[in-house]
Amino acid sequence: MIFSPFRYAMTFVLVALGAVFVITLLIMAAGINISSAAVQLIPAIAAAMIEGQRHAKSGAELPSKGQIWRAAFAMTGMAMGLFLFWSGLQFMQMPADIRDTAVPAILVASAVFLPVYLFANWWFYKVGFQSGQNRAAR
């Protein structure tokens, strides 16, 4: 396998928690709110890049397009599972009257994030691999 599912999931979770921490600090300290849907992509981007770098560090050749796509599909499945878990935790904390509108919003967000996560995982795995090769060549 060209990536570690456990390392990908741990990186995703830690980066997501770090993003929440940084956003909360910015809101409390400076009154700046940078939270948006784009912030949801940061964990997938970071995790895919790290997986690509780690694979390159092992001295392996660039995987074939098919291998990268299979890895991207697997990483996307993990990212969507974590996204839905996180959304479910937030859903349980909502007042009952808001929950009726939250379910369609979560479904729409999932439909939007699925192809975006897939492309981000595919693209940034390759970027991470090339970065890892460049670093190893130095």
Side-chain angles (χ1 to χ4, degrees), residues 9-90:
M10 290 306 297
T11 303
F12 189 97
V13 169
L14 291 174
V15 171
L17 291 174
V20 169
F21 180 73
V22 168
I23 289 169
T24 303
L25 279 177
L26 283 172
I27 290 170
M28 289 175 21
I32 300 170
N33 188 354
I34 61 166
S35 62
S36 70
V39 173
Q40 294 287 336
L41 286 177
I42 294 170
I45 290 169
M49 284 186 75
I50 288 171
E51 289 305 314
Q53 288 174 345
R54 298 290 271 190
H55 189 69
K57 192 176 183 180
S58 71
E61 294 290 320
L62 179 66
S64 69
K65 286 184 181 182
Q67 288 176 310
I68 295 173
W69 275 112
R70 281 190 294 278
F73 274 103
M75 289 186 276
T76 299
M78 294 174 69
M80 287 303 298
L82 293 166
F83 171 77
L84 291 173
F85 176 76
W86 184 262
S87 297
L89 289 177
Q90 292 174 340

